[in-house]
Amino acid sequence: MTPLIPLTRDLVLIGGGHSHALVLKRWGMNPLPGVRVTLIDPGPLTAYSGMLPGHVAGHYDADILQIDLVRLARFAGARLILGRAEAIDLALREVIVGARRIGFDAASLDVGVTSRMPQVEGFAEHGVPAKPLGLLARAWGEFRAGEGPARVAVIGGGVAGAELAMAAAHGLRHRAATVTVIDKDRLLAGASDSARRIVRTRMSALGVTAIEAAGVARIEADRVLLDDGREVASDFTIGAAGARPQVWLADTGLATTDGFVDVAPTLETSARHVFAVGDCAHMTETPRSKAGVFAVRQAPVLFDNLRAALSGGAMRDYCPQEDYLKLVSLGGKSAMAEKWGRAVAHPLLWRWKDRIDRRFMGKLSDLPEMATPKLPEPLAEGVVEALGDKPMCGGCGAKVGRGALGEALAGLPTRTRADVLPLPGDDAGLIVTGGLRQVISTDHLRSFVEDPDLMTRIAAIHALGDIWAMGAKPQAATVSLILPRMSAEMQRRTMVEIMGAAREVMDAAGAHILGGHSSLGSELTVGFTVTGICEDDPVTLGGARPGAVLILTKPIGSGTIMAAEMARAAPGRAVAEAWDAMRQDQGRASAILKGAQAMTDVTGFGLAGHLSGICEASGCGAELRVADVPLMPGALDLAEAGTRSTLFADNLSGAGAVITGAGGPRTDLMFDPQTAGGLLAAVAEQDAERLLAELRAAGYPAAVVGRMVKGAGLRLI
C-alpha cells in the first residue's frame, strides 16, 4: 500500500492575478507532494485584462473574460480563501485576512494595482476604477444595458484610457453616446508618434472628445468638474490615470520602490521565500512598464522557484525582454500593433489579438483530466460498484441513506428512562432534568472544501441546525476533528484556524465550546455535539395538521453544486453563493418559527426526504409545489446537465412513496442532499403571511413551498 504523504509546508498565493492563475494550472499538473497550497482572493472570479476593452465594446460577454479561480483551485488541489489580504506579518510568517491569520512557509504576491483616485473628491462615490478589472466589468454591464443617451468620461489619456474610451464609444452606439477623455498632460504622452496618430484618428471617427492639460477637481453623479471650472457631463466615470500600488503593501516591511514591491531576478522580495509578480512587483535590476505580458512570462519562473523554495532546490532568474508587441483594440473589430516605436492598424490585427486572448483563456479553462491511479488486480467482488463512477461527495452528500439509517434506528428503544427521550428520527434527543428541557444532537461532515475555516463554519451551522429545528437556544458544544496527516507546525496552524472559526460561530449562536477530541486521518472531518435549551416544549416532526402552510427558509441545491464543483463543472460564482448560503445561521429564523406545528432542518435526505419525515411523524400528507421551491443560483442548470450527488439515488428511494408528477431536473433537486440547509416549518395558515414577512425582514430568502393535507404520503406538484 502506498504510504500517505503528510503535509509539511504551506504555500500561500496572495491574489488571483495572471501569474498565479498560470502557476495553479502548472501545480495541478505537477504538484509538489507534502505542500498545502492556499489561494487568497476577494472573489471567485478574476477578470483577464486583455479582453476587458472587448467586453466594454460589446464584443465579449462578461463570462468569457472571467478566470474561474474556484475551478483552478480545485484542479490544483488548493484551498481558496475568499477574502482580501490586508497585511503580512513577516516575523510570524502570516498573512492577515480580516480576523484570520494564514501561516506560510513560502508566499507570493500577485495583487495587481489599482486605478482608484482617492485624491479626487467624489471618485469613491461616483467613479469606477479601471483596475481592479472585475469592478469595471460588473458596473459596465449594468450601465451598457440601460436606455437613453449615455455620457461617459475617462480620466487618464494613456494607451489604456484611450483604448477604454474607444471601446465605450463603440459599445454605446445604440445609446447616442458622448465619450470624453481627460488628461492632465497630453493624450498618449508615452506612445510613439505613429501610434498617437492612429489612435487620434480612430477616436475622432468614433466621436470621442479629448481634453488635454486639464486636472480633475471633483466628480459628481452626472458630471466631472475640472480645475479650470469647465464641466464634462458624465453618467459613468472611469478612472484610468495610471497604475497605483495597493496601499497596504507599504506596511508589510518588504522593500518597495514608489510603493511597488522590489524583486530580484528570481522574483524573490527582500524577505526570504516571499515572492512578488505582475503589476505589484518592481524588477529592481531590469525595470519595465506595467504590462500583462510580463506577468504571463514570469509564471513558469515563479512556479519553478516556489518549488525550489519549498524543497531546497536551486532557483533560476527571470530575464524580461527589452520591448514587447503591444496590441491595442480600436473600439470596433480593428486593432493597432506597436513595437520598437512603429505602429500599424488593421482589422486582421484584431483577429490576431482575439486569437491570442482566447488561447490564453483556454489555458486556464481547458483543464486536463489527470490520470487516476489504477486499481490493483485482482479485486474483491463489488469493489468497482462500491467505488462508483465519480468521487464520493462530501458534506451531507456522504451520509448514509435515509432508508438504511431508518432500518438501523428501528431497533432502538423509544424510551430507556424517565428523563431521556431519544425521539428516533427527529432532529435531536430530549433530556428533561428538574423540569429543564435540554435537546442534544451530534453531527459531523466529511470535508468538501479545502479551507478548514470555511468547512468548520459550515459544519458548525449544520450541527446547530438540529437545535434550531427543535425551537431551542444553543447552549454548549464539543468539537470532534480529524485532520489530514501533517507536520506538528501545520497541525498548530490548522487547529488555530478551525477553533477560531468554531468559536466565532458558536459564540454568535450563544453556545459555549466545552472542549472536544482530535486525531489524524486521511482527510479533514469536522463535527460537533451540541446541546440546547427549550423554554417551551420542543418543536418536533410530529404535530403538523392538514391545512398547515410549509415555509422553507433557505434555497436548495448545495448537494448538486458541490458535486459539480468536485468535478470542476460548477461555475465559481455559483459555488461561492452556495458557500454563503450554507454559512447563514438559522438562529433568528428558529426564534421566528418557534410556534410552528412541526419543524425540521433540511439536510442530507433532501427536501422531499425531510418533508416525508414530517408526514410520517404527523400522520398526514403534504403537497410540495416544486416550482415555488427557491433554488441556489446555478443548481438547476447543473441538474439539467445531469449532475447528481452520490446520495441522490438513496434519497430518491428512501423518501418513501412519493408521487413525483412529471418529474425532471427541478423535481430531482427535491431529493438533493443539503448541507447546513434551511428550516422547513409547518405553520398555521393564518400565521403564514406574517411569519414569511418577518423571515424576509430578518434576511432569509424564505418562501412558501406547499401545505400539509389529509391522507398520507408526499406529492410533488
Side-chain angles (χ1 to χ4, degrees):
M1 181 179 293
T2 303
L4 182 67
I5 298 176
L7 298 171
T8 61
R9 292 291 183 271
D10 267 313
L11 167 61
V12 177
L13 304 177
I14 308 167
H18 301 354
S19 292
H20 282 176
L22 290 167
V23 164
L24 286 170
K25 169 75 175 288
R26 286 174 173 260
W27 200 279
M29 299 176 70
N30 186 20
L32 180 62
V35 176
R36 176 172 62 181
V37 181
T38 299
L39 173 65
I40 301 171
D41 196 81
L45 308 174
T46 186
Y48 169 50
S49 59
M51 301 179 90
L52 181 64
H55 169 62
V56 172
H59 305 318
Y60 304 120
D61 292 335
D63 290 344
I64 201 172
L65 70 149
Q66 301 289 355
I67 300 170
D68 195 323
L69 298 180
V70 175
R71 292 186 69 236
L72 271 174
R74 171 62 70 176
F75 178 72
R79 62 171 173 165
L80 174 60
I81 295 175
L82 296 182
R84 190 178 301 277
E86 300 171 354
I88 299 175
D89 189 326
L90 293 176
L92 295 177
R93 309 284 285 182
E94 292 177 336
V95 181
I96 289 83
V97 183
R100 296 181 65 178
R101 301 180 75 91
I102 312 301
F104 64 85
D105 297 289
S108 178
L109 286 154
D110 188 10
V111 296
V113 293
T114 179
S115 300
R116 299 183 190 276
M117 306 175 72
Q119 77 281 9
V120 176
E121 182 183 351
F123 185 85
E125 295 80 11
H126 307 297
V128 182
K131 293 186 177 182
L133 305 173
L135 179 61
L136 175 58
R138 289 190 298 272
W140 181 259
E142 296 176 4
F143 180 74
R144 187 170 180 269
E147 298 179 353
R151 304 171 300 178
V152 177
V154 180
I155 303 173
V159 172
E163 187 176 25
L164 284 173
M166 291 184 289
H170 182 84
L172 293 172
R173 301 183 314 282
H174 62 295
R175 293 188 57 186
T178 60
V179 180
T180 306
V181 181
I182 305 164
D183 198 273
K184 64 181 179 181
D185 195 353
R186 67 169 181 159
L187 191 68
L188 301 164
S192 64
D193 290 340
S194 57
R196 193 178 299 113
R197 284 194 298 271
I198 290 172
V199 172
R200 281 187 175 276
T201 299
R202 182 57 181 161
M203 286 175 60
S204 177
L206 288 167
V208 177
T209 302
I211 298 179
E212 300 175 285
V216 175
R218 188 170 73 254
I219 298 172
E220 296 180 357
D222 60 351
R223 73 195 72 191
V224 177
L225 284 77
L226 306 183
D227 287 340
D228 59 13
R230 285 181 290 174
E231 296 184 0
V232 176
S234 176
D235 307 305
F236 194 95
T237 302
I238 302 172
R244 294 175 175 81
Q246 304 284 354
V247 175
W248 65 273
L249 295 176
D251 299 322
T252 58
L254 299 170
T256 60
T257 297
D258 298 326
F260 299 98
V261 179
D262 292 345
V263 296
T266 60
L267 305 177
E268 196 171 23
T269 68
S270 56
R272 183 172 181 268
H273 293 174
V274 177
F275 300 79
V277 287
D279 289 350
C280 72
H282 170 70
M283 295 178 283
T284 56
E285 295 189 16
T286 53
R288 296 289 187 271
S289 60
K290 303 300 179 187
V293 63
F294 298 119
V296 170
R297 297 187 178 183
Q298 285 169 340
V301 177
L302 177 64
F303 174 77
D304 289 345
N305 290 350
L306 288 172
R307 290 174 64 91
L310 293 162
S311 62
M315 298 187 192
R316 66 187 182 101
D317 289 350
Y318 167 66
C319 301
Q321 61 209 80
E322 289 292 334
D323 196 8
Y324 62 96
L325 179 67
K326 307 169 190 69
L327 291 172
V328 180
S329 58
L330 300 173
K333 291 188 176 181
S334 181
M336 175 185 74
E338 182 192 31
K339 190 174 183 181
W340 304 117
R342 300 182 61 185
V344 62
H346 196 279
L348 287 176
L349 290 172
W350 190 90
R351 292 173 60 185
W352 185 26
K353 181 180 186 304
D354 175 64
R355 190 176 299 114
I356 292 172
D357 290 337
R358 289 181 184 273
R359 187 183 303 125
F360 175 81
M361 290 300 290
K363 289 181 181 179
L364 299 174
S365 58
D366 300 333
L367 304 176
E369 290 296 330
M370 305 306 292
T372 56
K374 291 185 177 180
L375 294 173
E377 294 183 356
L379 287 170
E381 292 182 347
V383 169
V384 173
E385 292 78 5
L387 284 173
D389 58 356
K390 58 184 177 181
M392 183 175 68
C393 292
C396 272
K399 293 183 76 168
V400 174
R402 185 171 185 263
L405 185 60
E407 185 176 342
L409 292 176
L412 292 178
T414 58
R415 189 181 183 102
T416 57
R417 47 186 290 177
D419 58 344
V420 178
L421 289 81
L423 302 178
D426 220 307
D427 294 288
L430 176 63
I431 301 173
V432 180
T433 306
L436 179 70
R437 302 176 188 87
Q438 183 185 50
V439 292
I440 183 169
S441 180
T442 189
D443 223 320
H444 71 274
L445 299 175
R446 175 178 180 263
S447 179
F448 54 84
V449 294
E450 297 294 332
D451 180 13
D453 178 281
L454 175 60
M455 192 62 230
T456 301
R457 293 176 187 276
I458 292 172
I461 294 296
H462 178 81
L464 287 166
D466 289 338
I467 304 302
W468 287 321
M470 305 290 282
K473 293 182 178 179
Q475 176 196 27
T478 58
V479 190
S480 177
L481 298 176
I482 300 176
L483 299 181
R485 191 176 178 189
M486 56 180 60
S487 67
E489 174 58 21
M490 290 189 67
Q491 290 176 39
R492 183 196 65 79
R493 291 173 183 169
T494 306
M495 288 292 289
V496 168
E497 290 190 52
I498 287 174
M499 293 310 298
R503 188 174 297 110
E504 188 173 323
V505 173
M506 291 299 174
D507 284 351
H512 181 68
I513 296 179
L514 302 177
H517 178 76
S518 63
S519 62
L520 297 179
S522 61
E523 60 183 355
L524 177 65
T525 301
V526 185
F528 295 88
T529 297
V530 288
T531 63
I533 301 298
C534 292
E535 296 176 350
D536 303 304
D537 288 337
V539 184
T540 65
L541 298 181
R545 298 182 291 276
V549 172
L550 293 168
I551 293 179
L552 179 66
T553 64
K554 280 188 184 184
I556 66 170
S558 64
T560 294
I561 293 172
M562 293 303 110
E565 193 275 328
M566 290 184 67
R568 306 198 309 272
R573 184 177 289 112
V575 175
E577 289 177 345
W579 289 343
D580 286 341
M582 287 185 277
R583 279 185 295 194
Q584 184 182 32
D585 76 74
Q586 298 291 287
R588 180 63 185 141
S590 174
I592 293 171
L593 295 168
K594 68 178 181 180
Q597 296 174 8
M599 187 158 62
T600 186
D601 60 332
V602 179
T603 53
F605 303 144
L607 179 57
H610 286 283
L611 181 50
S612 289
I614 290 180
C615 291
E616 293 165 7
S618 299
C620 56
E623 289 181 347
L624 182 66
R625 295 195 299 270
V626 174
D628 293 342
V629 175
L631 304 179
M632 292 181 181
L636 184 57
D637 290 340
L638 292 169
E640 289 174 340
T643 301
R644 300 292 184 275
S645 168
T646 51
L647 193 59
F648 170 77
D650 281 330
N651 282 353
L652 191 61
S653 61
V658 178
I659 300 174
T660 57
R666 179 178 278 273
T667 297
D668 285 351
L669 285 169
M670 303 304 107
F671 302 91
D672 185 49
Q674 305 303 292
T675 302
L679 298 176
L680 176 65
V683 303
E685 185 174 13
Q686 65 269 23
D687 297 331
E689 187 175 341
R690 173 183 58 81
L691 293 172
L692 188 65
E694 288 184 29
L695 288 165
R696 290 176 174 172
Y700 297 100
V704 171
V705 296
R707 66 176 54 245
M708 304 302 296
V709 297
K710 294 180 179 180
L714 172 61
R715 183 180 178 189
L716 308 186
I717 61 175

